[in-house]
Amino acid sequence: QVKLVESGGGVVQPGKSLRLSCAASGFMFRIYGMHWVRQAPGKGLEWVATVWSDGTNIHYVDSVKGRFTVSRDNSENTLYLQMNSLRAEDTAVYYCARDLDGGHYFDYWGRGALVTVSS
Amino acid sequence: DIQMTQSPSSVSASVGDRVTITCRASQDITTWLAWYQHKPGKAPKVLIYATSSLQTGVPSRFSGSGSGTHFTLTINNLQPEDFAIYYCQQANSFPLTFGGGTKVEMK
């Protein structure tokens, strides 16, 4: 069955970096677009980034452009989110999610990784 | 950016009720809309995509309709497991955006 497992979350000081990983299994990872979506405490869902199957088509929400980098290793079935220059407002649970049939919807989600940016 | 506005922000309902949630887009998104259910501590779950297509495994008491800028999610015969927060999401263009959420609470 499809499984997505995020790791790499934790507490980090403002201005520092963190890299999230999402290990995928149970499907042909290399042919699917993948996304990162986050939820700040007490807030709703916010899309963060998308990377298409071959890794060449990438999009970001404006608030993370220039600071976050999404990438993937199709040989390792793993999605990444490199987060630099972290801010307090980046504090959230970060979910990786699989794309549904190229439609920019999210059909399978991980359980999430909590990132807390605090001094 | 396309803004998605959900209403109501919360609704109190009883088991067996029909619940309707509305989502409005700030511009025409044709039928590029999905609905998700989210329970605390769990991964969100897609219910409906492309406005009215029921995701595999989702009960038929969930249905979606609309086009352009006005969309609805209807839950017929509300069940205990349906108490959750529901989000709409537009997939017409980047940045992908969600509505603010509707909490379905027990009356």
Side-chain angles (χ1 to χ4, degrees):
Chain A
Q1 74 280 21
V2 173
K3 194 171 182 183
L4 299 170
V5 180
E6 301 92 342
S7 60
V11 180
V12 61
Q13 293 179 330
K16 300 295 188 181
S17 299
L18 206 61
R19 187 176 84 157
L20 300 181
S21 300
C22 171
S25 59
F27 66 102
M28 205 172 295
F29 178 76
R30 68 178 184 272
I31 68 171
Y32 282 87
M34 296 295 296
H35 308 272
W36 288 98
V37 177
R38 67 185 178 183
Q39 183 175 35
K43 303 293 185 182
L45 299 173
E46 180 185 37
W47 167 80
V48 174
T50 293
V51 57
W52 223 239
S53 55
D54 61 1
T56 60
N57 197 1
I58 290 175
H59 299 270
Y60 299 98
V61 68
D62 279 351
S63 60
V64 309
K65 279 180 185 173
R67 300 188 300 123
F68 288 13
T69 302
V70 61
S71 62
R72 59 191 297 159
D73 185 338
N74 286 344
S75 66
E76 295 290 332
N77 293 340
T78 304
L79 175 72
Y80 300 101
L81 186 66
Q82 177 67 43
M83 303 183 292
N84 299 331
S85 302
L86 281 160
R87 305 167 180 167
E89 55 265 34
D90 296 319
T91 294
V93 174
Y94 285 74
Y95 298 97
C96 67
R98 192 182 79 167
D99 189 84
L100 173 56
D101 287 345
H104 303 157
Y105 307 112
F106 319 112
D107 64 351
Y108 286 93
W109 300 61
R111 295 294 296 269
L114 176 60
V115 173
T116 303
V117 184
S118 173
S119 54
Chain B
D1 298 2
I2 299 174
Q3 312 303 319
M4 305 300 292
T5 304
Q6 276 182 246
S7 60
S9 57
S10 66
V11 57
S12 296
S14 301
V15 172
D17 285 353
R18 171 185 291 177
V19 172
T20 300
I21 300 168
T22 297
C23 183
R24 291 188 182 271
S26 61
Q27 61 190 74
D28 188 346
I29 59 170
T30 61
T31 57
W32 290 98
L33 186 103
W35 291 96
Y36 300 85
Q37 178 190 69
H38 194 194
K39 297 180 180 179
K42 295 203 166 185
K45 173 184 174 183
V46 64
L47 303 171
I48 304 278
Y49 64 96
T51 295
S52 59
S53 295
L54 195 67
Q55 175 68 342
T56 303
V58 174
S60 59
R61 63 180 179 272
F62 292 93
S63 64
S65 64
S67 68
T69 61
H70 186 209
F71 302 87
T72 59
L73 172 71
T74 300
I75 312 171
N76 286 303
N77 188 22
L78 193 72
Q79 294 299 296
E81 60 267 31
D82 300 337
F83 293 101
I85 299 175
Y86 293 84
Y87 295 93
C88 62
Q89 175 241 331
Q90 67 83 14
N92 181 75
S93 60
F94 288 98
L96 307 177
T97 46
F98 290 89
T102 296
K103 186 174 185 179
V104 177
E105 303 175 294
M106 194 174 301
K107 186 181 286 183

